[in-house]
C-alpha cells in the first residue's frame, strides 16, 4: 500500500530528526525523487535544524542542579526521610502489639497470621470506605450541577453569585494594606501634590 502525501510529509519531520525507520526512509527517498515540494520542505527543515544548532546556548556544568536547588520545596519533596520515622515506628509498634494481643488470645499456631490478616482487612476496609466517600462526593457534585443547569433562573442566580464573588475578590486584591492613619493622604496622592 502506497502512503498518501500527508504521510510523506510526516516522514519528512522524522527524517530531519533522524528517527525515520530504514524501510520508510527508502520509500521516502523514492518519493523525494519525484516530488519537488517535499524536497524543498526537507531542505527547509534541515536548514532550520542547522540554525537551531548554531543558536544553541552552552550551559555551564551543574546549571540544572543549581536551578533545582534554588526552587522552593513543595509536596512530597518537602518531607525528608526523617519525618516518616516516627509514624512508621508507631505503625510497626501498633502492629506488633495487635499481633501479640490477638495472637495470645487465640489458640493455634497460625494466630499471628490471622492477626496480620485482620489488620490488613481493616486497612482494606478503610481504603474502600474512603474511595466510596470520594465517589459519593463526586456524584453529589454532579447532582448539584445538574440541578443548577436545569432551569434558567437557577443558572442566572448562580451567575450573579459568581459575579459577586469575583467583585469581592477584586476589591480585596486592590485594597492596599498600609500602616498610615485614616486622615493621612495616601502615598500616591502625595506624589500628585
Amino acid at each position: 500500500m502506497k502512503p498518501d502525501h500527508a504521510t510523506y510529509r510526516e516522514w519528512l519531520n522524522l527524517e530531519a530528526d533522524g528517527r525515520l525507520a530504514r524501510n520508510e526512509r527508502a520509500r521516502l527517498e523514492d518519493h523525494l525523487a519525484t516530488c519537488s515540494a517535499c524536497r524543498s520542505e526537507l531542505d527547509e527543515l534541515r536548514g532550520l535544524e542547522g540554525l537551531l544548532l548554531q543558536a544553541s546556548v552552552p550551559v555551564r556544568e551543574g546549571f540544572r542542579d543549581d536551578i533545582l536547588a534554588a526552587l522552593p520545596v513543595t509536596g512530597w519533596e518537602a518531607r525528608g526521610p526523617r519525618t516518616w520515622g516516627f509514624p512508621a515506628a508507631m505503625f510497626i509498634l501498633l502492629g506488633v502489639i495487635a499481633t501479640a494481643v490477638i495472637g495470645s488470645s487465640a489458640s493455634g499456631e497460625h494466630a499471628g497470621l490471622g492477626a496480620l490478616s485482620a489488620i490488613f482487612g481493616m486497612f482494606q476496609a478503610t481504603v474502600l470506605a474512603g474511595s466510596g466517600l470520594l465517589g459519593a462526593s463526586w456524584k453529589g457534585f454532579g447532582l448539584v450541577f445538574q440541578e443548577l443547569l436545569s432551569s434558567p433562573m437557577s443558572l442566572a442566580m448562580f451567575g450573579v453569585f459568581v459575579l459577586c464573588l469575583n467583585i469581592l475578590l477584586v476589591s480585596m486584591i486592590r485594597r492596599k494594606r498600609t500602616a498610615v492613619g485614616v486622615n493621612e493622604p495616601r502615598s500616591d496622592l502625595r506624589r500628585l501634590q
Side-chain angles (χ1 to χ4, degrees):
M1 182 172 133
K2 186 175 181 178
D4 61 344
H5 198 75
T7 304
Y8 286 124
R9 293 192 68 198
E10 289 177 20
W11 287 358
L12 289 174
N13 290 315
L14 293 172
E15 173 65 24
D17 291 339
R19 296 183 302 150
L20 189 63
R22 185 176 297 164
N23 62 343
E24 293 171 345
R25 183 176 297 128
R27 293 168 74 182
L28 179 64
E29 287 174 4
D30 291 341
H31 176 74
L32 289 173
T34 60
C35 182
S36 61
C38 286
R39 274 194 312 267
S40 64
E41 187 172 345
L42 182 60
D43 290 339
E44 288 177 13
L45 286 171
R46 287 181 177 158
L48 179 63
E49 184 179 342
L51 286 174
L52 289 174
L53 287 174
Q54 289 175 356
S56 68
V57 177
V59 178
R60 66 177 168 79
E61 194 173 321
F63 179 74
R64 180 180 183 271
D65 296 331
D66 292 343
I67 294 296
L68 290 176
L71 292 175
V73 181
T74 59
W76 287 101
E77 299 101 24
R79 299 185 180 143
R82 301 183 105 201
T83 60
W84 288 99
F86 182 73
M90 290 304 293
F91 179 76
I92 291 170
L93 179 67
L94 289 175
V96 168
I97 291 173
T99 304
V101 168
I102 294 173
S104 66
S105 65
S107 61
E109 59 188 58
H110 299 291
L113 292 175
L116 289 176
S117 175
I119 291 172
F120 177 74
M122 178 184 69
F123 285 118
Q124 185 179 12
T126 303
V127 169
L128 285 174
S131 63
L133 181 62
L134 181 65
S137 300
W138 281 112
K139 190 169 190 167
F141 284 133
L143 291 174
V144 166
F145 284 120
Q146 182 181 8
E147 183 66 30
L148 183 68
L149 298 174
S150 66
S151 73
M153 185 64 172
S154 62
L155 189 59
M157 288 174 48
F158 182 70
V160 168
F161 175 69
V162 168
L163 181 65
C164 291
L165 283 178
N166 285 331
I167 291 171
L168 177 66
L169 180 65
V170 168
S171 68
M172 290 174 68
I173 291 173
R174 294 186 74 203
R175 182 181 305 157
K176 287 193 169 198
R177 297 177 189 205
T178 59
V180 295
V182 177
N183 294 331
E184 293 183 27
R186 290 183 17 203
S187 61
D188 56 345
L189 293 177
R190 284 186 210 152
R191 279 186 273 145
L192 295 174
Q193 294 174 348

